[in-house]
Amino acid sequence: MKRALWLLALLPACREAPPPGPQKTAAAQRAERRLFDGAPPVIPHQSFGVACISCHNERGLEVAGVGFAPPSPHADTRGMSAISRCTQCHVFRATEALFGANDFDGLRQDLRRGARLYGGAPPVIPHQVFMRENCRACHSGPAAREEVRCSHPERARCVQCHVPATGAPDFARE
Amino acid sequence: MLRPDPDRLLRRDFLKWLGAGTGVVAFSCSDRQEAGRLAGSGAAESDLHWGKAPCRYCGTGCGVEVGVRDGKVLAVRGDTSSPVNKGLLCVKGYHLPAMLYGRDRLLHPQLRQPDGSLRRISWDEALATVAGKYAEALQAHGPGAVGVYGSGQWTVFDGYAALKWCKGGLRSNNLEPNARLCMASAVSGFLAQFQSDEPMGCYEDFEAGDDFVLWGANMAEMHPVLFSRILESKRRRPSVRIVDIATRRTPTSEYADMYVEFRPGTDLALANGILHLLVRENRWSKAFVAENVVFRRGSEDLQQIGYGCFGEQAERYTFEDQAQEASFEDLERFLAGYAPGPVSDITGVPEAQIRALAEIYADYGRGTVSLWCMGVNQHVRGTWMNNLITDLHLLTGKIGRPGANPFSLTGQPSACGTVREVGTTCNRLPADMVVTNDEHRRKAEQIWGLPEGTIPAVPGHHAVDLFRAFARGEVKVLWVQTTNPWVTLPNLQRMQRRPGDGRFLVVSDIYPTPTTDAADLILPAAAWVEREGVFGNSERRTQQWNKLVEPPGEAREDAWQIMQVARRMGMGHLFPWPEEDWHAPMFEEYRSFTLGTGKDLASYAQLQRTRGLLWPVVDGKETRYRYAAGFDPYVKKARGVHFYKAKGYGEKAALWLRPYHPPAESPDAEYPLWLCTGRVLEHWHTGSMTRRVRQLHQAVPEAYVEVNAADAAALGIKDGDRVRLVSRRGSLELGARVDGRGQPPPGSVFVPFFDEHCRINALTLDAMCNISKEPDYKKCAVRLERA
């Protein structure tokens, strides 16, 4: 805690703009790397021969000459230890060619979609939280999309105020 | 090579992260527009209708939630309420929905014209054509001239419709599944020992077990989600050990506490070597054996048994095992030849490792789970190898309790539920019944309301012989559903058809494949959640799902196709249910076969409500451990196990004496390398579904040959070079992979079979298990050349 306060004190000096982005927009890039929103992204780089977690750690890592390695959103796999087997779900691209055309048009979430009870209320979480327990992976830091960037990442207990929407019908007494 | 040092960079990066998080960051205008376009309908996960279904691919049976909107599948997610996968999927599962939307989906029935082209026809014409061809062949040549070939991807409905139509309507036992190529040896293994198919344990063994002994199973790629359960157990309990017994290093080996490499086919000797040590050192459970085990011995004469592929056996292989009673003393004498020294010479496994394996099985305080799949099943003595693994558990009493069981994994989503339980093979009927048993046939005839004597008592052709008979023109009409034999059968050139051979091949599928290329009539099938279905997974879990979207074009489910043809052949009485509501009544009729047999299925209504249930389901309660007191309602004992299905063994299990036999073909001067074939994580079976998914295809776009670095160096081959692989049966050009994800030892190569443009089965040998008749895709001899 003491260390965090010390870091916060240094904040103004460390503020800097994100590195110049690639040609494609963030949204296009996101869509290109995911079959649909919720699918595991493919790996957009070649294997570096190191454990994925050495860059894609809890906070992500700026790797000189490569770019920002986004943090891993996975924290707890509830009895399913997949964390050490990243390539079980995330695969490299060996080619750009296709076997054949595919017309699948998957879920692309409206990133402003988290519903609020009223203007200043905390938005509910519009996606499954399982395998996305590290909220800050997508909601803060250089990898966060503008639309979902959190204004208060220093508040570590996100689900204290933001709850998952389940799509359950409204409450009614039987 | 880039090697970032996380410790050194962490602090600087953390600062940057905080800075970016609190700072004002400018994003371009075009990014906003792009975001708006890609937001599409602006749907959120919570706006979709989420239905449940088991995954379409392997036998694990992961629960999937399927997100649907406006008649389309838009997303899937792992079902956190599924006891199988607890929310996790593998890369294939996460990319499931795109499998439905490849642009070349088959949409209409198509009939092959004399010039080889395809003409679109109506369903009416298509169904009348199929009915006419079957009727014609039946009349002219009898029931031996027709056949149906399905798969472990058939839903229970498809399989049950095919079984009833074939055996009760066509009066032909020429009904076979591709599962004959896949887990038939596990079936004959369980039947020989327990007189009832399928394992006693369940996936909870992954949390309860201490030692996981993998016999030739690359679980990290083939059953990734189950492997994750084992890894999680290991993370929580560091005493958990994984033993990888294999013929090449795979991603699974990286996680193994002990890697045991044996020469192809010598696992028989290795297992006998372990049994030898258990017996010699008195490390077996006398009380358990006395109470629960009998001894049996079968035919062992290599000359008499053969391999099913040479000489006369290459036309038809009908060997039948002859059981004799045996005793513990016989076992002791039999094992005398399997001392560590000679076993080490045969297998190449160091004596210390053989002793370590024996110690694992001998340690009664630790739960041992043996796991196997194709490595053991696709084996010229696959049934024997299944028997020997289970023997290890019977001799040590490590069976029928949580965390101590022999557990066979399956590769198809309903290999168990449909093929093994419905009984869609040339000799079986539902719930462990067989056509060769008078009482069993009568029971089926009674349930089906058919006259006594309708079902023929003689088994039909097993899969390989069915296609051999089709190639000879002896079987005239064959209907293939949900499988791709023109890629998967061994020794493929046997399949070459001769012009004017009078054969008629009907193929139902969802995409064009080499099998539809060979078809005379192509029928478009509905896939996965485009229809209502039931699958049964490896752990006896029966899982139901509802139709969630309409199939494309005129595609229809396989069971519907069969029932329509049956109606047009005057066999409508077999399917007396209303066209709009036949799933539940058909399932209940099928279920009536199982009630009271120890294989009792849950009611359809209960299956609709649950995330699947493990049979036997009695009074609505599932059974996690079969034959086990306190778990299985059929066991009346207070403790221990009761193998109540094995009436022929006095309700005990049979421990079989099974010797080592060499493989059918071994490397020699001309063909100096072993060839092993198999799958990769990213593709499922022949890739007809997974290759149409961009992310999966781009990850592994084509087949390759894994070569050991020493062999590659000797031949002047580098990683990525084009090479030619040649066997006595065919040759193939493909890329070489040196030190890839799998590393075969010197003297052997590995090729995955998913690539229809690079069919490794042109090289494989159609040698098969003497009992199960399952082909051996893991061992034949090849030569490697620079292309």
Side-chain angles (χ1 to χ4, degrees):
Chain A
M1 187 65 201
K2 258 184 186 166
R3 188 175 171 201
L5 285 173
W6 173 80
L7 288 170
L8 280 171
L10 288 172
L11 264 182
C14 302
R15 198 175 288 168
E16 57 182 281
Q23 298 296 307
K24 281 174 186 156
T25 64
Q29 212 170 54
R30 182 182 163 82
E32 193 181 276
R33 291 175 189 170
R34 284 170 183 78
L35 181 64
F36 55 90
D37 280 352
V42 296
I43 306 169
H45 58 76
Q46 291 309 301
S47 171
F48 296 132
V50 294
C52 309
I53 197 98
S54 53
C55 302
H56 299 280
N57 55 32
E58 203 184 328
R59 298 174 181 96
L61 193 66
E62 182 66 42
V63 183
V66 180
F68 182 71
S72 164
H74 314 312
D76 172 21
T77 47
R78 264 188 269 167
M80 305 299 299
S81 192
I83 299 303
S84 68
R85 295 250 325 126
C86 310
T87 53
Q88 184 166 303
C89 303
H90 303 279
V91 292
F92 288 100
R93 265 187 288 198
T95 178
E96 291 298 314
L98 293 176
F99 183 78
N102 191 302
D103 295 321
F104 175 68
D105 190 8
L107 177 70
R108 299 290 171 203
Q109 295 214 94
D110 182 342
L111 294 183
R112 294 183 187 81
R113 189 57 175 61
R116 296 170 195 264
L117 183 61
Y118 57 89
V124 296
I125 304 171
H127 58 75
Q128 198 182 33
V129 177
F130 179 75
M131 295 293 276
R132 299 185 190 93
E133 299 83 1
N134 178 11
C135 307
R136 288 179 293 189
C138 305
H139 294 280
S140 72
R145 299 275 305 281
E146 183 197 7
E147 298 88 337
V148 296
R149 181 160 295 161
C150 174
S151 62
H152 45 278
E154 69 283 2
R155 297 195 174 175
R157 291 245 328 125
C158 315
V159 290
Q160 187 167 305
C161 302
H162 303 278
V163 294
T166 62
D170 288 343
F171 171 75
R173 295 194 68 192
E174 305 256 315
Chain B
M1 192 177 290
L2 179 90
R3 287 192 183 277
D5 175 357
D7 288 328
R8 192 168 56 78
L9 293 175
L10 189 66
R11 194 174 140 260
R12 192 196 75 192
D13 198 69
F14 183 51
L15 295 175
K16 192 174 282 179
W17 165 72
L18 277 176
T22 49
V24 180
V25 180
F27 263 71
S28 72
C29 187
S30 69
D31 189 45
R32 279 201 201 94
Q33 285 165 355
E34 186 72 12
R37 190 180 67 75
L38 288 167
S41 56
E45 260 186 60
S46 51
D47 295 333
L48 306 187
H49 164 69
W50 291 92
K52 61 148 188 165
C55 177
R56 172 62 181 78
Y57 300 124
C58 84
T60 300
C62 289
V64 176
E65 286 187 287
V66 186
V68 176
R69 190 165 148 132
D70 300 330
K72 293 274 183 195
V73 178
L74 294 190
V76 298
R77 59 191 186 196
D79 188 346
T80 49
S81 52
S82 166
V84 172
N85 52 312
K86 306 174 187 186
L88 190 70
L89 297 173
C90 77
V91 68
K92 292 185 295 297
Y94 283 119
H95 290 85
L96 260 169
M99 171 272 282
L100 298 173
Y101 299 103
R103 197 169 292 165
D104 56 343
R105 270 294 291 266
L106 296 169
L107 302 175
H108 310 284
Q110 300 174 82
L111 186 65
R112 180 90 49 202
Q113 302 302 298
D115 68 353
S117 66
L118 289 165
R119 177 171 67 87
R120 177 177 166 181
I121 59 172
S122 69
W123 265 115
D124 249 353
E125 188 183 343
L127 296 166
T129 304
V130 181
K133 290 288 179 186
Y134 271 92
E136 206 178 287
L138 278 178
Q139 201 180 7
H141 309 284
V146 296
V148 177
Y149 185 69
S151 86
Q153 301 155 63
W154 257 345
T155 66
V156 164
F157 300 114
D158 305 328
Y160 188 73
L163 176 86
K164 199 173 179 186
W165 176 56
C166 230
K167 302 199 174 183
L170 302 175
R171 304 189 59 201
S172 171
N173 283 327
N174 280 344
L175 169 69
E176 273 284 282
N178 70 349
R180 177 75 67 187
L181 319 177
C182 176
M183 38 50 22
S185 301
V187 176
S188 48
F190 281 116
L191 288 173
Q193 294 184 287
F194 305 100
Q195 302 200 322
S196 176
D197 188 19
E198 296 198 39
M200 51 296 303
C202 65
Y203 294 161
E204 287 180 35
D205 280 335
F206 296 130
E207 284 78 40
D210 299 301
D211 291 322
F212 298 91
V213 184
L214 279 48
W215 289 87
N218 176 12
M219 281 184 80
E221 286 198 84
M222 307 319 157
H223 298 88
V225 169
L226 298 181
F227 196 59
S228 288
R229 282 179 74 158
I230 297 178
L231 291 182
E232 176 68 5
S233 286
K234 199 169 162 58
R235 190 176 70 82
R236 291 185 185 201
R237 291 182 289 134
S239 64
V240 166
R241 292 180 296 188
I242 298 171
V243 180
D244 183 31
I245 306 178
T247 58
R248 69 169 179 137
R249 284 188 176 272
T250 66
T252 304
S253 318
E254 291 167 30
Y255 297 87
D257 296 87
M258 178 161 64
Y259 172 68
V260 180
E261 194 169 275
F262 64 96
R263 296 191 187 110
T266 64
D267 43 356
L268 293 155
L270 180 59
N272 275 312
I274 301 169
L275 288 167
H276 171 99
L277 287 172
L278 294 172
V279 168
R280 192 179 75 185
E281 293 172 7
N282 229 355
R283 305 285 301 276
W284 54 286
S285 178
K286 288 161 202 73
F288 183 89
V289 169
E291 194 179 331
N292 301 300
V293 175
V294 298
F295 295 87
R296 288 289 182 277
R297 193 163 185 170
S299 312
E300 293 169 11
D301 179 358
L302 179 57
Q303 291 308 314
Q304 182 211 348
I305 296 172
Y307 294 102
C309 61
F310 304 125
E312 278 175 21
Q313 291 181 345
E315 290 303 320
R316 185 141 198 207
Y317 189 43
T318 54
F319 170 81
E320 271 188 60
D321 198 26
Q322 302 296 327
Q324 312 159 33
E325 292 197 7
S327 64
F328 181 77
E329 289 65 39
D330 293 330
L331 176 69
E332 248 182 327
R333 274 191 296 274
F334 172 85
L335 292 172
Y338 294 97
V343 168
S344 183
D345 291 343
I346 298 171
T347 59
V349 176
E351 286 186 37
Q353 281 197 326
I354 302 170
R355 290 208 172 82
L357 286 167
E359 185 57 39
I360 286 170
Y361 281 99
D363 187 346
Y364 193 76
R366 289 175 65 85
T368 307
V369 183
S370 298
L371 294 148
W372 70 96
C373 198
M374 292 307 110
V376 166
N377 294 344
Q378 293 176 339
H379 191 310
V380 285
R381 297 295 178 262
T383 307
W384 289 9
M385 198 51 222
N386 269 269
N387 290 161
L388 288 169
I389 293 173
T390 299
D391 285 353
L392 290 165
H393 289 264
L394 289 173
L395 197 62
T396 53
K398 288 184 164 184
I399 190 165
R401 57 186 165 102
N405 284 300
F407 194 95
S408 75
L409 299 158
T410 54
Q412 298 189 82
S414 204
C416 286
T418 302
V419 173
R420 296 166 73 161
E421 291 161 28
V422 174
T424 60
T425 64
C426 64
N427 62 334
R428 299 187 85 189
L429 292 166
D432 279 340
M433 299 200 300
V434 288
V435 298
T436 46
N437 181 307
D438 298 346
E439 263 176 62
H440 294 176
R441 287 197 313 280
R442 265 200 293 283
K443 181 174 173 180
E445 286 156 355
Q446 270 161 18
I447 290 176
W448 289 343
L450 298 173
E452 203 176 306
T454 303
I455 302 168
V458 180
H461 292 286
H462 55 81
V464 173
D465 272 357
L466 180 65
F467 281 93
R468 288 169 172 178
F470 192 54
R472 288 196 299 269
E474 200 176 299
V475 169
K476 306 283 180 195
V477 184
L478 186 64
W479 189 351
V480 174
Q481 288 194 328
T482 42
T483 186
N484 195 1
W486 263 253
V487 177
T488 55
L489 282 167
N491 198 356
L492 272 172
Q493 56 286 342
R494 279 186 178 282
M495 315 275 292
Q496 298 301 328
R497 68 186 307 176
R498 293 177 289 271
D501 54 13
R503 292 161 21 180
F504 194 80
L505 178 66
V506 185
V507 178
S508 303
D509 210 326
I510 66 171
Y511 287 112
T513 66
T515 304
T516 62
D517 289 347
D520 298 290
L521 176 63
I522 301 172
L523 301 176
W528 193 42
V529 294
E530 293 165 357
R531 40 85 52 90
E532 187 169 338
V534 172
F535 280 162
N537 78 353
S538 305
E539 60 163 352
R540 296 175 279 109
R541 183 179 299 278
T542 315
Q543 308 199 78
Q544 185 272 352
W545 74 92
N546 291 326
K547 177 177 174 176
L548 298 174
V549 293
E550 287 297 326
E554 293 181 294
R556 298 298 301 254
E557 61 184 295
D558 298 280
W560 178 89
Q561 299 176 14
I562 290 169
M563 291 191 291
Q564 290 298 320
V565 168
R567 291 210 168 99
R568 280 165 176 77
M569 293 180 75
M571 299 168 187
H573 59 281
L574 297 173
F575 307 105
W577 309 295
E579 261 205 58
E580 56 287 354
D581 182 26
W582 53 270
H583 291 92
M586 182 192 272
F587 188 86
E588 291 300 337
E589 181 187 286
Y590 161 53
R591 181 183 175 230
S592 68
F593 277 94
T594 68
L595 298 179
T597 67
K599 304 200 87 169
D600 317 46
L601 295 174
S603 72
Y604 200 63
Q606 194 183 5
L607 290 174
Q608 284 177 306
R609 287 194 306 272
T610 59
R611 256 53 172 178
L613 291 160
L614 308 176
W615 60 258
V617 179
V618 177
D619 297 331
K621 290 192 197 73
E622 66 177 359
T623 302
R624 287 149 59 215
Y625 292 94
R626 242 181 132 190
Y627 309 133
F631 291 99
D632 186 336
Y634 282 92
V635 174
K636 304 300 174 205
K637 287 162 99 173
R639 58 202 309 189
V641 295
H642 179 197
F643 299 112
Y644 55 85
K645 289 288 282 179
K647 306 281 185 225
Y649 304 141
E651 307 200 353
K652 294 181 178 190
L655 190 151
W656 285 80
L657 284 56
R658 299 295 199 187
Y660 165 67
H661 274 184
E665 183 184 73
S666 296
D668 54 18
E670 203 180 344
Y671 299 95
L673 300 170
W674 286 107
L675 167 68
C676 180
T677 71
R679 289 211 303 103
V680 294
L681 165 72
E682 293 84 352
H683 288 298
W684 195 74
H685 272 209
T686 60
S688 59
M689 292 178 282
T690 50
R691 296 186 91 190
R692 285 170 170 89
V693 178
R694 181 172 60 116
Q695 288 77 3
L696 300 176
H697 174 68
Q698 292 183 341
V700 187
E702 58 185 11
Y704 49 82
V705 54
E706 287 176 353
V707 186
N708 179 272
D711 292 335
L715 290 161
I717 292 166
K718 294 187 302 299
D719 185 54
D721 283 358
R722 298 297 291 177
V723 293
R724 189 175 301 108
L725 206 55
V726 188
S727 81
R728 288 185 174 85
R729 295 152 294 280
S731 76
L732 198 62
E733 202 182 297
L734 70 182
R737 196 68 66 81
V738 184
D739 286 333
R741 73 167 71 167
Q743 287 151 27
S748 66
V749 296
F750 173 88
V751 179
F753 74 88
F754 70 84
D755 189 348
E756 67 173 64
H757 299 127
C758 186
R759 284 183 265 175
I760 190 58
N761 281 315
L763 276 67
T764 51
L765 177 65
D766 50 348
M768 57 189 118
C769 171
N770 51 331
I771 299 172
S772 70
K773 310 299 187 287
E774 176 168 347
D776 189 329
Y777 294 91
K778 303 291 187 186
K779 299 177 270 299
C780 72
V782 293
R783 178 173 76 229
L784 186 64
E785 301 163 350
R786 295 173 65 173

